[in-house]
Amino acid sequence: MKVGDLVELSSAGKKIQQNSCVYGRFGMIIGINTTSHDDYPYEIEWYGKGRSKLIMARREIKHYKVKV
């Protein structure tokens, strides 16, 4: 994944209680930090019911699929 990709929670991400604030929303990767947060390198800005920023692991997110 790269900066600018649209993402949503993966099934693993939905199982984590602290991610409940972004359940059903989509986000954009705004940064990848591989130096200080090796387990959680992705900085994601989430949209929908307000904005929020979280750092997440790769296993918690997947590419967003547009629902038509």
Side-chain angles (χ1 to χ4, degrees):
M1 292 197 172
K2 60 186 187 290
V3 172
D5 283 353
L6 294 178
V7 296
E8 61 185 332
L9 288 177
S10 66
S11 60
K14 290 176 183 176
K15 293 177 185 175
I16 299 172
Q17 179 65 33
Q18 68 188 28
N19 292 341
S20 64
C21 63
V22 294
Y23 187 83
R25 295 165 63 183
F26 70 95
M28 182 185 297
I29 297 175
I30 59 172
I32 302 172
N33 185 356
T34 56
T35 56
S36 63
H37 298 288
D38 291 335
D39 293 338
Y40 300 92
Y42 295 97
E43 184 178 358
I44 301 170
E45 185 164 355
W46 293 93
Y47 305 98
K49 301 171 189 163
R51 288 186 177 179
S52 58
K53 289 183 185 176
L54 296 174
I55 57 171
M56 305 189 94
R58 173 63 181 96
R59 68 183 175 276
E60 296 178 281
I61 56 175
K62 65 180 182 178
H63 282 102
Y64 180 73
K65 296 188 178 164
V66 178
K67 298 157 181 100
V68 182

